Amino acid sequence: MSSTKGIFKALENLISDSQTSKPLKILIVAVESAPYASVGGFSSVIAYLSKELKRLGHDVRIFMPKFGFIDEQKYGLKLVKEGLKVPTDFPENPYLICNVKTSFSNNVQTYFLENQEYYELRANVYGYSDDPTRWALLSRGVLEFIRSGEFVPDIIHCNDWHTGIVSNYLKTMYKEDKILSEIPTIFTIHNLAIQGNFDHWHVAELDMDDGRSAVASFFDERLNKQNFMRRGILYSDAVNTVSKTYSKEILSPEFGQGLDKLLLELRSKLYGIVNGLDYEEFNPETDKLIEKNYDINSLELRLENKISLQKEFGLKESLETPIFGFVGRLDWQKGVDMLVKVLENVMKNFDVQFVEVGGGDGGIADMLRNLQRQFPDKVGVHTHLNFALSRSLFSGCDIILYPSRFEPCGIVQLEAMRYGALPLVRKVGGLADTVEDVNSVDGTGTGFVFNDFDEFSLYGQIVRAIELYRNKVLWRKLQRNVMKKDFSWGYSAKEYERLYLRANSLKNTESLNITIDRPI
Ligand code: GLC
């Protein structure tokens, strides 16, 4: 196996260099994509990876639901397919009828699957008890759309559990289909922790899904118990996560979310590609959302943003006080609960400030508001998603905190670095791959890194950052280090290009060792 793989890799390297010039037709299937629907960093990955692949010459298109809140006028949506019949496998109600509309953003074409009941009439992207039906409709809808001949891609690129069963359908129900059976699939894991509409840690033994049974019909209760994430991993030709380190971490029980054994078994098709950042969209030189524009040679101008941030959040105006920041989803994953506990002690002992922007878990939001009540002139919180405020934070704060329990990639540290704020992170997943611990003697490094998820380790690094902040010359050098780093999409998009070719080779040479209990 491993020597076959070695030959393979060598061949691919040879092939890929000559083939990458050949434009590929790529269809990316996802629930969110900016600017149409954005809940988290996921949506910018879909949008900006596509934009970069397009720049490389590929014909890349996105397929997503047409949620009711997507403004048809604003984005100029046009109908491309009326009355697409999507089979449900449920005899009493055999088809759901959908339309497909289209629009362009950043030169990339997006297709929207339109359905009144499942997308149009829902105010939110996620959070409904019938989400498995909604995503099964998307997954089967995209395959029926391809069959209609409107756009036949060379590769289907699926993302997270919502689209995990695309490859499952393709390898079972559609395995005799002339068009579909030829198309390789890749599956990107942005977050292994969410595997379906259930807590995968608390599934009764009887309800455990090994992924080998047929996909249940749209209206069958069993669909809610099927593990779409597991199925995406099992049936896709290649699988990747959004950083190299996370792709290795998930092979262990600590990070594998119960799927580590499966991933170990299938590791020959598992890859890691770190996310990038759109350097045109995120640019302190031109960003219209920030108070004062600046670049690596005019970092002193950044202080105006610092004052503006302090004003915005009602904090004491002081250039000498380091401002720590947090931007992101309030989620157990991100370690904000531990952060608040540590900050309580930091606030008592040091002249520092803290600003937070981002919503999510109500309990964590309460902890933050409570911290703010204790230290009103030192702490500012905005417990809702807000893109403009996030930019003010990146451009005005000194250190961005990211003490995650696990982190598949993380984008906020890349955004912060682009704006000259230093990241303070736990050494996990994409944070380990993108932040290098500072060496205060020779002034190298890009941030503050700690290993263990515990309060002492985090506290220690915060104190270290406060100390180093006093050394103005060193701090300026560190700010330049982070701003010189290039995390733009160019490199990662090239890696995806290679992965698409690899998926094609894997599809043609390695047969899946899967037995389906009910062939369809
Ligand atoms: C998920 C992950 C995050 C990653 C993002 C985009 O939100 O938690 O680490 O950066 O997806 O891939």
Side-chain angles (χ1 to χ4, degrees):
M1 178 68 196
S2 60
S3 68
T4 324
K5 184 111 209 281
I7 297 167
F8 228 99
K9 283 246 158 80
L11 264 177
E12 274 157 19
N13 290 344
L14 271 178
I15 300 166
S16 64
D17 288 338
S18 55
Q19 275 193 352
T20 41
S21 53
K22 178 181 170 281
L24 291 168
K25 285 192 276 172
I26 305 155
L27 190 57
I28 301 188
V29 195
V31 166
E32 296 174 45
S33 176
Y36 310 109
S38 288
V39 179
F42 175 82
S43 74
S44 41
V45 171
I46 302 301
Y48 295 123
L49 168 63
S50 313
K51 178 180 166 192
E52 189 63 28
L53 286 167
K54 182 84 187 184
R55 227 180 46 77
L56 291 173
H58 299 292
D59 183 0
V60 54
R61 306 186 191 186
I62 298 168
F63 193 94
M64 65 182 284
K66 162 68 183 69
F67 298 108
F69 56 77
I70 298 174
D71 187 334
E72 299 207 22
Q73 300 269 301
K74 181 172 162 197
Y75 297 116
L77 262 61
K78 294 205 170 52
L79 185 70
V80 286
K81 185 123 283 190
E82 200 171 3
L84 184 78
K85 282 167 82 177
V86 184
T88 66
D89 294 324
F90 193 72
E92 286 94 284
N93 187 4
Y95 296 102
L96 288 178
I97 310 296
C98 301
N99 293 328
V100 180
K101 293 185 168 167
T102 193
S103 156
F104 283 83
S105 169
N106 278 324
N107 209 14
V108 173
Q109 183 167 11
T110 297
Y111 293 111
F112 299 93
L113 186 68
E114 187 180 65
N115 181 276
Q116 279 295 312
E117 183 175 350
Y118 290 100
Y119 308 134
E120 200 64 31
L121 297 174
R122 311 292 176 101
N124 297 313
V125 174
Y126 307 108
Y128 301 94
S129 59
D130 60 354
D131 278 354
T133 308
R134 300 169 74 220
W135 312 143
L137 174 61
L138 180 72
S139 305
R140 192 115 189 223
V142 71
L143 296 176
E144 289 298 330
F145 175 68
I146 295 171
R147 281 179 97 199
S148 78
E150 179 71 31
F151 178 64
V152 179
D154 300 318
I155 181 110
I156 305 175
H157 178 172
C158 299
N159 293 275
D160 265 355
W161 76 272
H162 328 102
T163 54
I165 56 171
V166 170
S167 54
N168 191 166
Y169 279 135
L170 203 143
K171 290 262 162 68
T172 53
M173 303 202 180
Y174 294 94
K175 72 170 189 249
E176 308 295 344
D177 185 278
K178 283 207 171 51
I179 298 176
L180 291 176
S181 58
E182 292 296 311
I183 309 177
T185 49
I186 85 149
F187 182 61
T188 300
I189 303 170
H190 297 262
N191 198 337
L192 195 61
I194 313 176
Q195 302 177 3
N197 232 17
F198 49 80
D199 175 356
H200 63 89
W201 290 121
H202 296 101
V203 172
E205 210 163 315
L206 264 177
D207 288 334
M208 286 282 229
D209 177 31
D210 69 358
R212 286 155 209 269
S213 59
V215 180
S217 88
F218 281 16
F219 311 114
D220 184 336
E221 264 301 299
R222 283 188 310 124
L223 189 71
N224 293 341
K225 295 175 179 169
Q226 292 190 322
N227 190 319
F228 287 23
M229 176 62 80
R230 176 186 280 274
R231 287 166 183 262
I233 295 167
L234 203 52
Y235 293 94
S236 301
D237 296 303
V239 177
N240 80 300
T241 67
V242 285
S243 69
K244 281 242 161 16
T245 297
Y246 190 60
S247 75
K248 300 203 174 85
E249 285 170 344
I250 57 177
L251 300 177
S252 70
E254 188 189 349
F255 292 98
Q257 303 282 343
L259 292 177
D260 40 294
K261 288 210 182 74
L262 174 76
L263 287 160
L264 261 176
E265 212 180 294
L266 300 176
R267 71 184 298 179
S268 57
K269 64 170 183 180
L270 179 65
Y271 300 86
I273 303 178
V274 72
N275 285 333
L277 186 70
D278 190 77
Y279 269 41
E280 279 170 28
E281 174 68 30
F282 290 86
N283 183 356
E285 247 182 292
T286 53
D287 193 336
K288 295 204 172 43
L289 295 173
I290 64 177
E291 180 74 18
K292 184 80 190 171
N293 292 117
Y294 58 94
D295 64 17
I296 194 165
N297 297 314
S298 56
L299 274 162
E300 64 291 346
L301 298 176
R302 209 176 173 274
L303 294 176
E304 291 184 36
N305 295 317
K306 182 162 182 169
I307 295 290
S308 148
L309 184 66
Q310 288 168 329
K311 278 194 187 137
E312 173 77 40
F313 282 89
L315 309 178
K316 187 183 75 182
E317 286 173 42
S318 155
L319 293 178
E320 295 306 312
T321 309
I323 308 184
F324 288 81
F326 176 87
V327 171
R329 264 182 301 124
L330 299 181
D331 188 310
W332 184 82
Q333 168 193 344
K334 303 282 175 187
V336 184
D337 48 339
M338 173 171 83
L339 178 61
V340 172
K341 285 189 208 143
V342 170
L343 283 176
E344 264 171 11
N345 283 316
V346 173
M347 292 295 157
K348 281 180 202 150
N349 296 315
F350 297 93
D351 175 28
V352 295
Q353 296 175 343
F354 172 69
V355 178
E356 179 272 345
V357 176
D361 183 286
I364 302 176
D366 283 347
M367 289 175 77
L368 283 160
R369 283 192 287 263
N370 187 30
L371 184 74
Q372 203 252 334
R373 270 192 296 275
Q374 288 180 64
F375 306 98
D377 58 348
K378 292 178 125 185
V379 175
V381 301
H382 179 88
T383 51
H384 303 279
L385 182 72
N386 186 309
F387 292 114
L389 271 183
S390 309
R391 298 288 179 90
S392 311
L393 217 160
F394 296 140
S395 68
C397 84
D398 301 294
I399 302 120
I400 276 280
L401 297 160
Y402 222 150
S404 301
R405 286 183 166 86
F406 65 93
E407 200 55 67
C409 179
I411 298 179
V412 169
Q413 81 279 18
L414 307 182
E415 294 169 341
M417 287 195 258
R418 176 78 168 136
Y419 284 76
L422 266 63
L424 190 160
V425 305
R426 183 172 172 223
K427 194 173 183 170
V428 279
L431 301 174
D433 290 356
T434 53
V435 182
E436 183 198 331
D437 197 38
V438 159
N439 178 333
S440 53
V441 179
D442 62 11
T444 55
T446 53
F448 304 94
V449 181
F450 66 99
N451 279 309
D452 298 329
F453 189 85
D454 64 51
E455 293 172 28
F456 287 114
S457 307
L458 173 58
Y459 189 88
Q461 287 304 320
I462 292 181
V463 173
R464 187 171 165 231
I466 297 170
E467 290 300 325
L468 292 193
Y469 181 75
R470 297 203 178 115
N471 182 339
K472 295 273 173 286
V473 178
L474 174 64
W475 198 265
R476 186 51 51 89
K477 175 149 190 337
L478 297 176
Q479 283 183 306
R480 294 217 168 98
N481 292 355
V482 297
M483 288 182 82
K484 274 191 211 144
K485 282 275 170 192
D486 181 2
F487 292 107
S488 55
W489 269 107
Y491 166 79
S492 306
K494 279 259 167 211
E495 290 280 297
Y496 272 99
E497 214 174 45
R498 293 167 80 88
L499 183 62
Y500 294 149
L501 294 169
R502 234 164 250 177
N504 196 22
S505 324
L506 288 168
K507 179 181 176 68
N508 292 329
T509 51
E510 286 189 18
S511 63
L512 273 176
N513 187 18
I514 299 168
T515 39
I516 310 296
D517 70 351
R518 179 167 70 84
I520 307 142

